[in-house]
Amino acid sequence: MANNEELFKKIIAHAKEYGFIFPSSEIYDGMAAVYDYGQWGVELKNNIRSYWWKAMTQWHENIAGLDSAIFMHPAVWKASGHVDAFNDPLIDNKDSKKRYRADVLIEDHIAKIEDKINKEIEKASKRFGEAFDPQQFVSTNPRVLEYTSKIKDISAKYASAMQENDLAAIKRLIEDLEIVCPISGTRNWTDVRQFNLMFSTKIGSVSEESDIIYLRPETAQGIFVNYLNVQKTGRMKIPFGIAQTGKAFRNEIVARQFIFRMREFEQMEMQFFVRPGEELEWFKYWKEERMKWHLSLGTAPEKYRFHDHEKLAHYANAATDIEFEFPFGYKELEGIHSRTDFDLQRHQKFSGKKLQYFDPEINESYVPYVIETSIGLDRMFLAMFSNAYCEQTLDDGSVRVVLGLPRMLAPVKAAILPLVKKDGMPEKAREIMDMLKYEFNLIYEEKDAIGKRYRRQDAIGTPYCITVDSQTLEDNTVTVRERDTMQQERLPVANLEKYILEGIKPVLQSPSLKF
Ligand code: ATP
């Protein structure tokens, strides 16, 4: 754990040092849980967004895009349930004056018990060697069984307290589990209170007449209220989807883990409208489809796992998270939810407008059911960035820091480097730059020795370094150095575009054009 913490600190420092992410308003000492993306950060973020957008709207004929406003009619958030129920239970430690999410304190406590189980499994697997059967071990070992039943008991108590909105019971649970504040080490807790996560502001210039409005805490509602507009004007037939990316705002109580949990962040959401009764089939489809998208980036499959929800929100009939192994453990990266017709029914009720779809195939009108896929762009950034960071010891004992990003996401696709700053090499390099810059984001660099320039490109994840040398001037060939292998090959300048295009393709397992 200590090692991972060290690593995470290095990743955060690297993000700042190389112009990926800066603390917001840094000259005023920054703001908790708000960050700015620097010159390479914005490129990486744009590339992730555009790859998601393409996968949704370009690979699927039946998914349309949308860009709805951040401000929405206040009734939207009444209808969606956010005004009444978008709360987190919070608790303060009276000694450290630190504020915590009560649910997170309990989850962390459960995670510690899970760690103990994993340690038992590890120990036993060493002891028994090849013959070890983990399944049998966890279902028979008395110590593990005791831990498992403890977890079940805590989860059940917590779930029932949440269901009943019984905040006193949550406090009792924290006390019974003897959870201490990590800062003060004491158990001197306040009562648990509910805290609404929406930011509010006022619209209009005359304050008496002004209405309270909210900064949207999710982009999905903009899709729901526009679903018939898109369906009618785009002549969409069910099943169809609407995709949207954009900022969302949540007044998170605990801001931790860098850009994992921010107060202003970006979501990439798609709502897929289906016939009632067919939603679980489509839920399964989107579960697989989204995992395929992640794997198409070439990241090791063991970095991802599904976490199916056993306890479902009242409006959902199936839900799963795609979790990613961040430096601080497996955490939610994306949520896939079968939301039934809950949102559309509520909007129908609150707006008084019919939100039914007429299905010509079965000659029936109904309110569609919805499958949602929802991923945080910043979280995806952190997943890719932290996974890519690597300190590699080379044969000569030196260490290079290389950002092994999926090539297609790399902020800069190639650096064009004249070997020396004379003999016509810079001019030739500029010529190559002009030839390729409409297709790719490039860097031109002529300062410092070539080895140093390579290292700088490694640190920002540039997949290719194209070097112009004296031979280039004779036969119009260049050397191309690949980031991960550091192998160099000589290529004709005329082949560069095709070569790079080939190198930045996704790893597609099978085309997804099912409908
Ligand atoms: P969490 O349990 O981590 O708070 P959530 O279940 O509330 O997340 P959703 O409402 O399902 O999250 O939002 C969908 C996605 O948006 C999440 O999977 C995550 O990637 C992203 N997301 C949610 N909250 C934040 C945040 N505060 N900062 C960055 N990304 C976020």
Side-chain angles (χ1 to χ4, degrees):
M1 191 62 196
N3 271 344
N4 276 353
E5 266 171 38
E6 261 328 285
L7 172 70
F8 193 37
K9 277 191 194 145
K10 281 186 184 177
I11 289 168
I12 296 171
H14 190 82
K16 175 156 183 235
E17 189 182 343
Y18 284 90
F20 283 86
I21 297 173
F22 307 126
S24 160
S25 325
E26 195 187 5
I27 58 169
Y28 293 99
D29 298 332
M31 272 181 85
V34 190
Y35 291 91
D36 297 339
Y37 286 84
Q39 65 276 30
W40 303 133
V42 64
E43 298 289 344
L44 173 55
K45 198 175 165 198
N46 284 346
N47 291 344
I48 297 172
R49 191 195 299 104
S50 98
Y51 184 51
W52 181 90
W53 188 257
K54 222 183 227 181
M56 286 297 175
T57 63
Q58 196 170 312
W59 299 358
H60 295 95
E61 288 170 37
N62 232 10
I63 297 182
L66 178 77
D67 183 16
S68 69
I70 288 172
F71 292 150
M72 298 185 76
H73 193 287
V76 166
W77 306 111
K78 263 278 179 207
S80 68
H82 283 83
V83 172
D84 297 320
F86 194 51
N87 299 321
D88 274 343
L90 66 82
I91 189 166
D92 296 283
N93 182 270
K94 290 184 197 160
D95 299 317
S96 66
K97 309 264 183 284
K98 285 277 167 203
R99 180 159 288 177
Y100 299 92
R101 260 171 68 175
D103 56 329
V104 172
L105 285 180
I106 294 167
E107 271 166 24
D108 286 351
H109 186 81
I110 292 177
K112 276 189 196 142
I113 306 177
E114 280 169 349
D115 272 351
K116 286 184 188 165
I117 296 179
N118 289 335
K119 284 214 179 89
E120 293 292 333
I121 297 174
E122 225 171 88
K123 259 199 302 189
S125 119
K126 276 195 194 127
R127 201 164 353 116
F128 294 115
E130 293 251 307
F132 182 62
D133 177 351
Q135 216 70 34
Q136 194 193 349
F137 179 75
V138 294
S139 57
T140 52
N141 179 276
R143 205 169 290 163
V144 172
L145 287 176
E146 193 191 317
Y147 289 143
T148 318
S149 109
K150 237 187 218 167
I151 291 176
K152 267 201 186 138
D153 181 51
I154 299 170
S155 306
K157 280 187 180 144
Y158 172 66
S160 108
M162 285 301 273
Q163 203 107 43
E164 312 276 308
N165 200 16
D166 185 349
L167 301 180
I170 295 179
K171 182 176 181 191
R172 258 196 322 276
L173 186 58
I174 289 174
E175 285 170 342
D176 292 349
L177 296 173
E178 303 187 347
I179 294 175
V180 297
C181 162
I183 309 282
S184 67
T186 70
R187 286 187 252 144
N188 196 7
W189 297 110
T190 61
D191 286 342
V192 178
R193 280 165 299 148
Q194 287 289 22
F195 175 75
N196 193 290
L197 298 184
M198 282 199 294
F199 284 99
S200 61
T201 185
K202 286 178 175 171
I203 203 157
S205 53
V206 187
S207 71
E208 285 83 16
E209 288 168 18
S210 63
D211 262 343
I212 287 192
I213 57 163
Y214 299 97
L215 299 187
R216 67 179 176 198
E218 62 175 30
T219 57
Q221 298 304 323
I223 296 181
F224 289 127
V225 300
N226 275 299
Y227 114 89
L228 273 187
N229 282 338
V230 173
Q231 187 272 319
K232 285 186 177 142
T233 56
R235 298 190 298 138
M236 314 288 283
K237 281 210 178 76
I238 269 181
F240 72 91
I242 303 178
Q244 157 151 262
T245 72
K247 286 276 172 114
F249 304 83
R250 294 182 189 182
N251 199 358
E252 299 280 2
I253 298 164
V254 189
R256 276 190 309 188
Q257 293 160 328
F258 195 35
I259 57 168
F260 181 81
R261 190 174 299 288
M262 300 203 286
R263 297 205 163 106
E264 173 181 343
F265 60 102
E266 201 165 330
Q267 287 187 315
M268 306 190 287
E269 297 198 294
M270 193 278 298
Q271 312 289 326
F272 198 69
F273 301 88
V274 303
R275 243 179 232 164
E278 293 182 359
E279 71 276 8
L280 293 181
E281 213 179 292
W282 285 110
F283 173 74
K284 191 164 161 275
Y285 171 82
W286 279 109
K287 210 175 138 175
E288 285 166 16
E289 193 68 2
R290 290 304 303 146
M291 188 57 101
K292 264 197 233 163
W293 181 83
H294 285 286
L295 298 180
S296 73
L297 290 160
T299 310
E302 59 271 19
K303 287 277 167 183
Y304 296 92
R305 70 179 189 194
F306 284 114
H307 170 240
D308 293 333
H309 292 204
E310 277 161 31
K311 298 256 165 345
L312 294 169
H314 60 280
Y315 53 81
N317 64 3
T320 193
D321 295 336
I322 293 180
E323 295 187 338
F324 187 80
E325 191 180 14
F326 290 94
F328 37 85
Y330 282 96
K331 295 272 179 226
E332 173 179 341
L333 171 61
E334 170 160 9
I336 301 160
H337 312 120
S338 173
R339 299 181 68 113
T340 66
D341 58 353
F342 173 81
D343 303 85
L344 291 179
Q345 290 285 10
R346 295 275 295 186
H347 285 305
Q348 190 164 259
K349 184 168 156 207
F350 278 70
S351 67
K353 306 275 172 7
K354 267 209 166 6
L355 294 180
Q356 289 190 333
Y357 164 83
F358 175 72
D359 191 331
E361 277 177 37
I362 53 173
N363 227 2
E364 243 180 62
S365 289
Y366 52 80
V367 174
Y369 272 44
V370 174
I371 308 300
E372 160 182 88
T373 73
S374 173
I375 175 169
L377 174 51
D378 314 85
R379 256 186 219 184
M380 184 63 192
F381 184 113
L382 182 60
M384 293 298 99
F385 193 85
S386 59
N387 192 51
Y389 181 86
C390 172
E391 291 171 14
Q392 188 183 28
T393 307
L394 304 175
D395 291 344
D396 65 0
S398 65
V399 175
R400 74 163 180 151
V401 173
V402 54
L403 209 54
L405 290 167
R407 290 188 200 138
M408 86 176 94
L409 299 182
V412 177
K413 298 295 184 272
I416 318 282
L417 315 170
L419 187 61
V420 289
K421 224 189 321 181
K422 54 181 187 189
D423 301 338
M425 290 183 210
E427 291 75 11
K428 183 70 198 169
R430 286 274 177 211
E431 207 180 281
I432 296 174
M433 187 83 188
D434 284 343
M435 188 182 101
L436 297 175
K437 73 180 177 193
Y438 301 101
E439 187 72 45
F440 309 110
N441 198 22
L442 306 172
I443 278 186
Y444 173 86
E445 263 216 312
E446 55 182 26
K447 203 167 164 286
D448 295 324
I450 195 79
K452 225 174 175 183
R453 282 183 268 168
Y454 285 160
R455 290 288 176 279
R456 276 204 293 269
Q457 296 309 315
D458 288 344
I460 63 164
T462 306
Y464 301 111
C465 284
I466 297 170
T467 304
V468 171
D469 54 18
S470 51
Q471 196 182 326
T472 313
L473 306 174
E474 285 163 23
D475 64 5
N476 222 18
T477 62
V478 286
T479 63
V480 181
R481 170 194 180 268
E482 200 275 334
R483 176 194 67 199
D484 303 335
T485 59
M486 294 186 289
Q487 298 283 327
Q488 300 194 17
E489 58 182 305
R490 246 200 129 87
L491 283 181
V493 167
N495 292 3
L496 283 173
E497 182 172 341
K498 195 158 165 256
Y499 180 86
I500 300 173
L501 275 178
E502 197 55 38
I504 61 175
K505 267 194 185 155
V507 191
L508 287 180
Q509 295 168 327
S510 60
S512 328
L513 301 169
K514 182 175 163 178
F515 50 85

